Each structure stands twice: as structure tokens, then as C-alpha cells.
Amino acid sequence: MAIKPVLRMGEVSLFESSEEVCEFNTAALESLLTDMWDTMAAENGAGIAAPQIGVNLQVVIFGYENNLRYPDEDSIPQTVLINPVITPMSDDMDEGWEGCLSVPGMRGLVPRFTHIRYQGLDQFGHSIDREVDGFHARVVQHECDHLDGILYPQRIEDMSYFGFCEELESNHYFQI
Ligand code: NI
């Protein structure tokens, strides 16, 4: 069990692109994934990307049965996704509230593709190929953005819908 400190926005490495993973089923990868699952669980995250714990590799994890940070959303299967490629299945975009463990205490309204296909590999090098929509699609786009050095505030179109959770909630923008 190793809960790692989560790097916060402002840290230069969060804005860098991550390297592809070339070796699978290794002790180093397993240890990275254990740290990521432990850190995500400790912070009640819906997902986390390796760069958030200071490792600039193309590795993200996401998924949960019930999530305290997003209590109204459907469950997402727990997934390890490495070297991901996202393909939008249509031009349709949806706006939804997002938070990020690297931007604690804040939320913002972010446009994302509604319906995507994502492909990649798991920790054993087995291929993953799924077509998803809704919050599942949103979470995957958010996590994979971390691998391109993009944090969700950079995607917000109207900055009046970005702020601290308590203030946004008291404006009835959303319920925590
Ligand atoms: Ni994030």
C-alpha cells in the first residue's frame, strides 16, 4: 500500500506529454498501478493518471462501483488503460461538471465528446477496445488528457462556471 502525494496544478510536469509504455507484465508496472489504485482510493477519485503521481508514462486507471465525489453517476468498470487512443464516434459534445485530484476543492463545466471509442492495452499487454458514452466517456477523456499535459480548466469555455465547490454549490450550479 503506497498512497502517493498527488501533484497539483502549477507543477510543470503535469503539462508535459507522457511516454508510451513498451514493457508489460513487469514488477515496475505492477508497483506503479498499485500506487495509483491506492492513491485514487484514498482521494475518492473516479480515475487517476500516472503523471499525477509524478510518473510521465501513458498509464491511466479509472472506474468504481460507487463514488463519493460523483454520487449521481453510474458505475464504471475498473480499468487499467495504457497507451490509449480515443476516437470520437460523432461530433456531439456534452457539458458536464468535472473535478480533478490535481485541482482540489474546485469544479468546472467542461465540454466533452458524448460518444467515443477508446483503445489501448492493459497491464498484461492485452488489448482493450470499447465504445462508451455519458460519464464513462467523460472520465476517459479527462484521464487521457493528463497524458497530453492537459488539465480540465484548460478546456472550460465559460470561466464563470469554474470555481470552488462550496461556492458553486451555494449558487445551485450542482449538488456535492
Ligand atoms: Ni484529473
Side-chain angles (χ1 to χ4, degrees):
M1 181 103 176
I3 298 168
K4 297 288 185 183
V6 177
L7 303 185
R8 297 194 301 179
M9 190 172 181
E11 195 76 52
V12 172
S13 65
L14 287 173
F15 298 104
E16 289 169 356
S17 294
S18 289
E19 304 275 320
E20 273 195 23
V21 173
C22 301
E23 284 191 288
F24 293 84
N25 207 5
T26 64
L29 187 53
E30 190 183 313
S31 155
L32 169 64
L33 286 165
T34 301
D35 291 349
M36 289 172 68
W37 285 115
D38 290 346
T39 305
M40 178 178 133
E43 304 285 345
N44 293 312
I48 195 169
Q52 291 182 275
I53 60 166
V55 177
N56 281 76
L57 287 174
Q58 291 183 23
V59 179
V60 302
I61 61 171
F62 50 85
Y64 54 85
E65 272 300 309
N66 298 294
N67 189 274
L68 293 173
R69 278 164 59 87
Y70 302 95
D72 297 331
E73 306 293 350
D74 290 339
S75 67
I76 296 175
Q78 293 201 317
T79 302
V80 170
L81 183 63
I82 300 173
N83 302 345
V85 176
I86 293 179
T87 311
M89 299 308 287
S90 78
D91 292 335
D92 291 349
M93 312 272 296
D94 237 355
E95 290 203 311
W97 289 98
E98 293 186 16
C100 180
L101 300 179
S102 295
V103 193
M106 304 188 82
R107 294 285 169 101
L109 196 61
V110 182
R112 298 283 185 190
F113 290 108
T114 310
H115 186 189
I116 61 165
R117 175 184 185 184
Y118 65 89
Q119 294 161 284
L121 300 165
D122 70 9
Q123 65 269 45
F124 307 110
H126 300 144
S127 91
I128 294 172
D129 188 345
R130 294 181 185 152
E131 224 181 285
V132 299
D133 53 21
F135 194 62
H136 188 157
R138 174 171 298 280
V139 168
V140 173
Q141 288 169 88
H142 174 116
E143 296 311 331
C144 292
D145 260 359
H146 279 293
L147 307 182
D148 293 325
I150 298 168
L151 299 177
Y152 82 83
Q154 295 164 264
R155 298 240 183 237
I156 296 172
E157 286 176 347
D158 180 347
M159 290 302 279
S160 59
Y161 294 100
F162 177 50
F164 294 95
C165 293
E166 287 81 1
E167 281 75 1
L168 292 169
E169 192 185 28
S170 67
N171 284 331
H172 306 291
Y173 284 157
F174 71 97
Q175 299 270 305
I176 295 171

